[in-house]
Amino acid sequence: MAGQLCWIPTFASKGTLTLHLRLDPFQPWKPHTAFPNLCVPDYPIPRGSIGWATSQRLLQAGWEIVPTAQVKISFRDDFEDDSLAA
């Protein structure tokens, strides 16, 4: 099983990027912790990136990394789409 991974800033994180995953391109992004069967323990490095070990494991397994900028563009397009206005 191969999917996609991306480092995405979370709303309350002040710009800190967290690892997000999705199994198929049409699915929404979810934090890597929502997939406990795919996660591996993080390295014990002070101020290390949470999810880094998981990202390395998944990349070795053939997962595709999606650039953060590409995801930001799709989020912006979703919010600017007039059909989504209430």
Side-chain angles (χ1 to χ4, degrees), residues 9-81:
T10 54
F11 291 111
S13 70
K14 298 181 182 178
T16 301
L17 302 176
T18 57
L19 182 63
H20 283 67
L21 308 175
R22 62 183 180 184
L23 301 176
D24 292 303
F26 60 85
Q27 292 181 330
W29 292 100
K30 295 182 183 179
H32 75 288
T33 53
F35 302 91
N37 57 320
L38 299 174
C39 291
V40 296
D42 284 309
Y43 303 120
I45 300 171
R47 296 182 309 280
S49 296
I50 296 174
W52 182 253
T54 298
S55 70
Q56 289 181 322
R57 177 179 176 230
L58 295 176
L59 288 171
Q60 288 177 346
W63 281 54
E64 173 190 8
I65 189 163
V66 176
T68 302
Q70 182 178 334
V71 173
K72 285 182 178 180
I73 288 170
S74 72
F75 281 139
R76 186 181 67 225
D77 291 345
D78 288 345
F79 286 112
E80 291 176 354
D81 185 352

